[in-house]
Amino acid sequence: MKAIQTDAEEHKLSVVQSVILYNFRIIKDILEEEGIKYYMLGGTLLGAVRHQGFIPWDDDIDIGIEREDYERLLVTVAERLPDYLELQTFKNQTAHHYYFSRIVDRRHAVKRNGSLLEREENVWIDIFPLDGMPDNVILRKIHMARLLWVRTRYHISCFEQVNLKRPNRPLSERVIIKFVELTGWGRNGDTKKLLEKLDTLLKEYSIEKTGWIINFMGQYKFKEMFLKKYYGKGKLYPFEDLMLWGPVDADFVLKQMYGNYMRIPDDAEKNVHAAQLIE
């Protein structure tokens, strides 16, 4: 597969990053025309603050969209994408095993090396729904436990596709992975039904009616749960040659997720997707 030529390559981006940035310009224009607000999440927000663009070793863009607009996106944006871009969700793609949605470029693929099942995936942009959480602390703890239990069962049901090489996994996750490897428990679960259960649970509390906002299906789970004031109406941050929306208090968000987020990680902590471009 040949890389498309874009002006992003002048900024010494990798080929994958160049393709992603080119595609995100198109998606950004569609979102703005449809009046759909997005926020940069995770490594994308970190890259904007620390590098004013991509983290040099990153290979995707992550954005979050509040649930009501997220559901609207699944209907309206898909119809406006160019032919080579495709919106994938667990509801419309039998091979899409993620809960969150992706817009993929069918002209370019990467090899995923971090899971038991080596596979190819099209170059992607991840789109996460942002949901509410109960204001009552007891109800919130109960809801967190329910979400975590179903998420764990879901990941085990598609165990061969989980990135086992992801650095800095918590001890609890490493114990579960080893247990599943030894016993096979849960690996015959129905992934689609578990995703549907997650979908129902996440929609129980709307952002509009609570004081919380969460990207539960991100890598950091409850570290991505914040009082809504930290997201607010959003703030623009430089990202390569664009200005993209992120939480109004990126410092608080990034400290909760990463601690000292300005520290450059060791080589072993990089390339968390274990992805390799297929030319």
Side-chain angles (χ1 to χ4, degrees):
M1 300 182 182
K2 294 183 178 180
I4 56 176
Q5 297 296 313
T6 77
D7 56 359
E9 291 173 353
E10 298 177 3
H11 300 278
K12 298 183 180 179
L13 300 179
S14 71
V15 176
V16 172
Q17 290 169 342
S18 179
V19 171
I20 290 169
L21 189 63
Y22 180 88
N23 290 335
F24 192 73
R25 285 194 182 93
I26 297 170
I27 296 165
K28 173 179 175 290
D29 288 345
I30 295 174
L31 293 176
E32 291 175 351
E33 289 168 9
E34 293 289 340
I36 295 177
K37 186 65 171 289
Y38 66 88
Y39 298 90
M40 291 183 288
L41 300 176
T44 304
L45 179 63
L46 175 57
V49 173
R50 192 171 69 193
H51 303 275
Q52 290 74 56
F54 284 103
I55 296 174
W57 53 90
D58 204 2
D59 53 16
D60 71 346
I61 283 179
D62 298 327
I63 62 170
I65 296 175
E66 294 184 12
R67 174 64 69 173
E68 185 175 340
D69 277 343
Y70 177 83
E71 297 295 333
R72 184 157 63 92
L73 170 144
L74 300 183
V75 177
T76 60
V77 172
E79 298 173 349
R80 299 191 54 183
L81 294 172
D83 291 341
Y84 66 89
L85 293 180
E86 179 182 21
L87 176 67
Q88 295 183 347
T89 77
F90 79 89
K91 296 180 179 180
N92 70 9
Q93 290 287 332
T94 56
H96 184 83
H97 69 280
Y98 304 100
Y99 174 74
F100 52 87
S101 302
R102 277 185 167 174
I103 294 178
V104 303
D105 187 330
R106 291 191 297 237
R107 304 170 301 175
H108 303 273
V110 294
K111 183 183 294 183
R112 299 294 295 272
N113 303 313
S115 57
L116 293 175
L117 180 64
E118 187 177 281
R119 65 191 189 277
E120 296 179 9
E121 291 185 353
N122 293 116
V123 172
W124 67 86
I125 291 165
D126 286 336
I127 304 174
F128 294 84
L130 300 175
D131 294 292
M133 293 290 284
D135 289 322
N136 179 280
V137 65
I138 296 175
L139 292 179
R140 188 161 64 249
K141 293 293 185 181
I142 293 171
H143 192 55
M144 289 167 66
R146 294 166 69 204
L147 287 169
L148 193 59
W149 172 240
V150 178
R151 176 180 165 135
T152 299
R153 290 170 57 207
Y154 146 67
H155 277 303
I156 294 172
S157 75
C158 52
F159 190 73
E160 286 74 11
Q161 295 166 301
V162 172
N163 181 7
L164 301 180
K165 295 182 181 179
R166 199 193 84 198
N168 299 322
R169 277 192 181 278
L171 176 60
S172 59
E173 292 186 10
R174 298 200 302 270
V175 170
I176 291 171
I177 287 171
K178 180 58 66 175
F179 177 75
V180 173
E181 287 178 331
L182 293 173
T183 67
W185 180 84
R187 292 173 71 167
N188 61 347
D190 189 323
T191 300
K192 288 290 185 181
K193 286 186 178 180
L194 290 167
L195 287 172
E196 290 168 358
K197 177 64 174 176
L198 272 171
D199 193 54
T200 300
L201 285 173
L202 286 167
K203 292 176 181 177
E204 282 189 8
Y205 296 93
S206 71
I207 291 176
E208 291 77 13
K209 296 180 181 179
T210 72
W212 296 87
I213 187 168
I214 187 172
N215 171 31
F216 176 66
M217 293 309 291
Q219 178 178 331
Y220 295 93
K221 298 182 282 295
F222 299 119
K223 282 189 175 182
E224 294 194 59
M225 178 173 67
F226 301 92
L227 289 170
K228 288 194 297 187
K229 67 179 182 179
Y230 294 111
Y231 268 62
K233 295 183 179 180
K235 177 181 175 181
L236 286 168
Y237 298 85
F239 190 94
E240 302 301 337
D241 58 348
L242 300 175
M243 296 295 292
L244 304 183
W245 288 99
V248 68
D249 192 342
D251 179 66
F252 184 92
V253 169
L254 292 172
K255 281 180 178 175
Q256 178 168 305
M257 293 179 64
Y258 300 104
N260 180 11
Y261 62 85
M262 295 303 289
R263 179 186 71 86
I264 301 298
D266 299 331
D267 288 345
E269 300 176 73
K270 299 176 181 178
N271 192 24
V272 295
H273 295 117
Q276 178 183 0
L277 182 70
I278 301 170
E279 290 290 351

